[in-house]
Amino acid sequence: MEIFLGLRPSHNWMAQVAEQFGTEPQSPNEFSYEKDDLLFKLNSLIIEPDKVAVILGEIRWATPLNTLKKSIDTNDYWILSFILSEAPHTYSLIHNNTKHQIKALKSTLFYSSKMTVDTLWPAGKRSRFITIGFHRDWICEKLGVDATTSSNSPFVTMLQSENGVYFQGISLFERIVSFDNLFSDARSLNWALSVEAQCYELIVDFISQIATIKSDLSNNKFSQYDIKQVMEVENRHFIATGMLPSLEFLAREANMSLSKFKKCFQQIYGSAPYEYHLNLKLDIAKKLLLQNKWTVAEIATQLGYSSIASFNKVFKKKYNMSPTAIVHEHLNQMVYRIKSSDENLSE
């Protein structure tokens, strides 16, 4: 089955999607199709009409399903996507005779509306994605730059390119966005405000990450093939809830010597493999703790720790606070904000 999705969401965007299922959307900003074990769900948020919009999607289909976004023959509109799947999804980005293909459990992609994008979703598995689409003039205005003139900024250089730019293995979204929060109650005002705030944060962090990676890689001694190999290894094996294989195994997966793998990984991600994986775990742990839905023991177990003591030790070393203390501090701050708000209202 193939579903066509527009690259520029509009007020009739959901109706166009729903029509392909032979039904109607729940609202101009919401469409959900559920039947037996099938699920195709979309929520949109127009932050600024014709300038910036956000799409949240959740897919679980029993048979192979692909979504197709056709080129609109202009690179004025750009898309930043974060995808997380229970089994590998395949992304194909096509422009003229050039085709880039990515197969991953998690992926971060940035491409122009001049690209045709074909996504094959894993059958019988859950996939979720966040897509931020924005007009080039809008982002340049926010950054205070001119997209028509030459720039030393790697991000602005991308906006000036004809082809889409894609990245694999950058786990930005795991560090910044809680998928569970964003996919909670899409009808509430708080949800809309939260999505808008986090999407701005995602754009800023993505721009920063691009600048760092481009700067680091511009003077390195590793080939594009080496970099791609290491990024693919990071994408397959650096899972926050899993154990990290041995460095020897990871080096073999990247077709490198151990020494070369460690140096190349350090160059790309700014830290050694084990340190990077640990920080990934702890970043997720902190986000889970602040949601206040699980105990410290449950989170430690979920992240692969055999004892609470070992989890507490590494957590405190990174954040200078125990997991329990950081939760208490967060709750106290929330109580203080509520009291302050009540006092302001009473005045």
Side-chain angles (χ1 to χ4, degrees), residues 245-259 261-262 274:
S246 69
L247 294 185
E248 289 78 9
F249 172 84
L250 296 174
R252 287 196 300 272
E253 287 282 285
N255 295 317
M256 294 179 182
S257 68
L258 178 58
S259 175
F261 173 77
K262 290 194 292 186
Y274 282 127

Side-chain angles (χ1 to χ4, degrees), residues 229-245:
Q229 289 294 99
V230 171
M231 284 186 165
E232 287 180 352
V233 168
E234 186 274 343
N235 189 73
R236 289 196 302 269
H237 299 292
F238 284 72
I239 310 298
T241 55
M243 296 294 291
L244 188 66

Side-chain angles (χ1 to χ4, degrees), residues 80 110 134 139 143 153-156 159 172 200-213:
L80 177 59
F110 181 62
F134 50 83
I139 192 66
L143 296 173
S153 165
F155 184 72
V156 175
L159 295 177
L172 273 175
Y200 281 131
E201 184 180 355
L202 274 170
I203 293 172
V204 170
D205 276 68
F206 180 75
I207 294 172
S208 175
Q209 183 84 355
I210 295 307
T212 301
I213 289 176

